[in-house]
Amino acid sequence: MDVRAAVAIAAGKPLEVTTVQLEGPKAGEVLVEIKATGICHTDEFTLSGADPEGLFPAILGHEGAGIVVETGAGVTSVKKGNHVIPLYTPECRQCPSCLSRKTNLCTAIRATQGQGVMPDGTSRFSMGGKKLHHYMGTSTFANFTVLPEIAVAKIRADAPFDKVCYIGCGVTTGIGAVINTANVHPGAKAIVFGLGGIGLNVIQGLRLVGADMIVGVDINNDKKAWGERFGMTHFVNPKEIGKDLVPYLVDMTKTPADQIGGADYTFDCTGNVQVMRQALECCHRGWGTSVIIGVAGAGQEIATRPFQLVTGRVWKGSAFGGARGRSDVPRIVDWYMDGKIEIDPMITHVLPLADINKAFDLMHAGKSIRSVVTF
Ligand code: NAD
Ligand code: AHE
Ligand code: ZN
């Protein structure tokens, strides 16, 4: 079938909005009509050429929501008409990782997903007879896409696609990193680096679990009001403090009773490896935990003195907020529908597919939190 898609032809080039061909679902797969998709910084990361796994030409996009229109042989957990959110972290409930109960990183189809193909090793997308790669197993920058059954979360039918698509990555990543990865306790002191589409969701996650002190760090002063809107208690622009950031942040967290200082939890939502180091080093001696959410480009490495870890700080990473998609995503949709979490104000721009490149421009200019394309 012909579908409308934004094709990433090559690294560093704008997406090309055009008609491509999509084959129907094979066994164990579903065809989904995508109704809305968010644009995450990770799409920009891959499009820029910084992603060591980046493949071109490809159909990017991993933050979608839509409706199942056809199921392949053997599909039992969803049917035509179900509303779903595509999952770049699937949940097969059978692989060693799923069965371990220690991680959300299902390994059932990760190898083929990284090669830009479906689990049978072929692509469903083509353009003029030439293969197009899938991306993150989701390829939501198209009005129809094919996904493995284990890579869709069935959600309630009354949830608006143009809002809950954001649960497909940003919302779940931010809130999940607080709840699942860091397991933040009420009363905690936390520092969030990077107040974009992910960092603001970390902030609202911290508010949800009852953190006392929520410090936001960003080089863009416009983010101060944004952070405050979702529960941030203090804002720091590293460019304006006139001294080293780590001791500055440690001092902020000191109390008369605790002159050591440091945060109980910190979160990197920038993808900058220098910031990741700062985030670790402003953790409290003995127990502070730093969670890396940001994704860094090929060749980038993190560093610190081992002493930082010897003295009890913990460095962790979080993908998709540690969430098990088919189990957790429907619950997060309920939280949104029940008013427990906010999404609407973070969706600053809604665009048609034809204007998708404007969403990348807005991100580069620091003018958007989330742009959403509706089909
Ligand atoms: P974004 O562009 O919306 O936000 C990034 C923010 O970081 C901006 O506000 C920017 O001003 C700020 N920033 C940049 N450099 C900074 C610095 N040196 N110090 C402080 N702040 C700085 O991006 P996003 O969509 O929020 O994504 C953030 C990161 O998270 C990206 O690296 C993205 O790839 C990654 N990500 C990871 C996961 C995961 O599962 N681990 C999921 C989604 C996104
Ligand atoms: N391809 C990159 C890794 C990118 C990465 O870490 N992606 C996150 C999701 S970011 C969503 O916005 C993730 O889920 N990672 C786990 C995984 O299995 O990819 C690289 O550096 O190679
Ligand atoms: Zn993302």
Side-chain angles (χ1 to χ4, degrees):
M1 66 190 284
D2 282 354
V3 305
R4 292 294 290 167
V7 183
I9 302 289
K13 294 262 176 7
L15 299 178
E16 197 174 302
V17 179
T18 184
T19 299
V20 305
Q21 287 70 50
L22 178 64
E23 276 181 62
K26 295 193 178 173
E29 299 174 0
V30 297
L31 174 67
V32 173
E33 180 177 5
I34 297 292
K35 294 291 195 181
T37 180
I39 289 103
C40 171
H41 206 116
T42 306
D43 298 305
E44 151 57 24
F45 161 78
T46 301
L47 183 59
S48 75
D51 182 353
E53 273 191 310
L55 294 165
F56 300 91
I59 297 180
L60 305 181
H62 62 282
E63 200 173 73
I67 304 177
V68 174
V69 290
E70 190 185 335
T71 55
V75 170
T76 56
S77 61
V78 287
K79 59 177 194 287
K80 187 176 170 181
N82 284 163
H83 293 203
V84 293
I85 288 181
L87 301 170
Y88 62 83
T89 308
E91 183 187 353
C92 76
R93 301 174 176 158
Q94 288 175 353
C95 71
S97 298
C98 284
L99 291 175
S100 75
R101 308 303 296 161
K102 293 178 185 166
T103 178
N104 67 326
L105 294 177
C106 174
T107 46
I109 57 170
R110 182 63 181 83
T112 47
Q113 186 171 311
Q115 291 154 14
V117 289
M118 295 297 284
D120 73 349
T122 63
S123 174
R124 301 288 160 275
F125 286 108
S126 60
M127 188 168 65
K130 285 185 75 178
K131 166 180 163 176
L132 293 173
H133 291 96
H134 294 249
Y135 174 66
M136 290 177 73
T138 49
S139 292
T140 59
F141 292 171
N143 63 342
F144 289 86
T145 192
V146 170
L147 299 134
E149 174 185 15
I150 58 167
V152 294
K154 186 161 77 177
I155 60 162
R156 56 199 275 173
D158 58 344
F161 295 116
D162 59 345
K163 305 294 189 306
V164 298
C165 59
Y166 196 5
I167 295 173
C169 183
V171 172
T172 305
T173 296
I175 295 178
V178 172
I179 294 175
N180 302 318
T181 310
N183 200 7
V184 174
H185 60 274
K189 292 178 184 170
I191 306 176
V192 183
F193 294 77
L195 308 181
I198 306 302
L200 293 176
N201 277 293
V202 171
I203 287 180
Q204 77 160 326
L206 290 164
R207 177 176 66 181
L208 193 69
V209 301
D212 272 0
M213 185 178 193
I214 305 175
V215 182
V217 180
D218 203 300
I219 51 176
N220 177 351
N221 281 332
D222 294 347
K223 300 299 173 92
K224 179 173 185 285
W226 277 106
E228 286 167 351
R229 171 76 182 72
F230 297 101
M232 182 182 79
T233 59
H234 304 71
F235 177 73
V236 176
N237 182 338
K239 291 183 167 171
E240 292 184 351
I241 56 176
K243 49 174 116 162
D244 283 350
L245 182 61
V246 169
Y248 183 88
L249 292 169
V250 169
D251 278 348
M252 276 179 82
T253 58
K254 283 181 183 166
T255 62
D258 180 1
Q259 283 299 301
I260 299 171
D264 299 310
Y265 304 96
T266 67
F267 299 85
D268 168 70
C269 311
T270 69
N272 176 315
V273 292
Q274 276 78 40
V275 174
M276 292 176 191
R277 178 176 193 153
Q278 293 169 330
L280 176 80
E281 295 181 358
C282 68
C283 279
H284 200 288
R285 178 185 166 94
W287 67 75
T289 295
S290 186
V291 180
I292 293 178
I293 302 174
V295 167
Q300 300 280 300
E301 293 184 347
I302 49 171
T304 192
R305 286 192 63 218
F307 177 72
Q308 295 288 338
L309 304 179
V310 166
T311 48
R313 293 172 193 83
V314 178
W315 226 342
K316 296 180 101 173
S318 183
F320 196 41
R324 293 183 177 83
R326 289 161 80 200
S327 303
D328 294 343
V329 160
R331 197 163 38 236
I332 298 175
V333 172
D334 286 342
W335 292 354
Y336 166 68
M337 296 300 284
D338 295 345
K340 280 190 190 156
I341 59 168
E342 295 186 80
I343 292 183
D344 299 19
M346 293 187 209
I347 297 177
T348 49
H349 300 80
V350 181
L351 307 159
L353 183 67
D355 290 344
I356 192 166
N357 287 302
K358 287 187 190 158
F360 287 85
D361 296 341
L362 288 161
M363 183 191 293
H364 291 144
K367 291 204 183 330
S368 56
I369 300 301
R370 250 333 178 242
S371 294
V372 166
V373 162
T374 52
F375 293 93

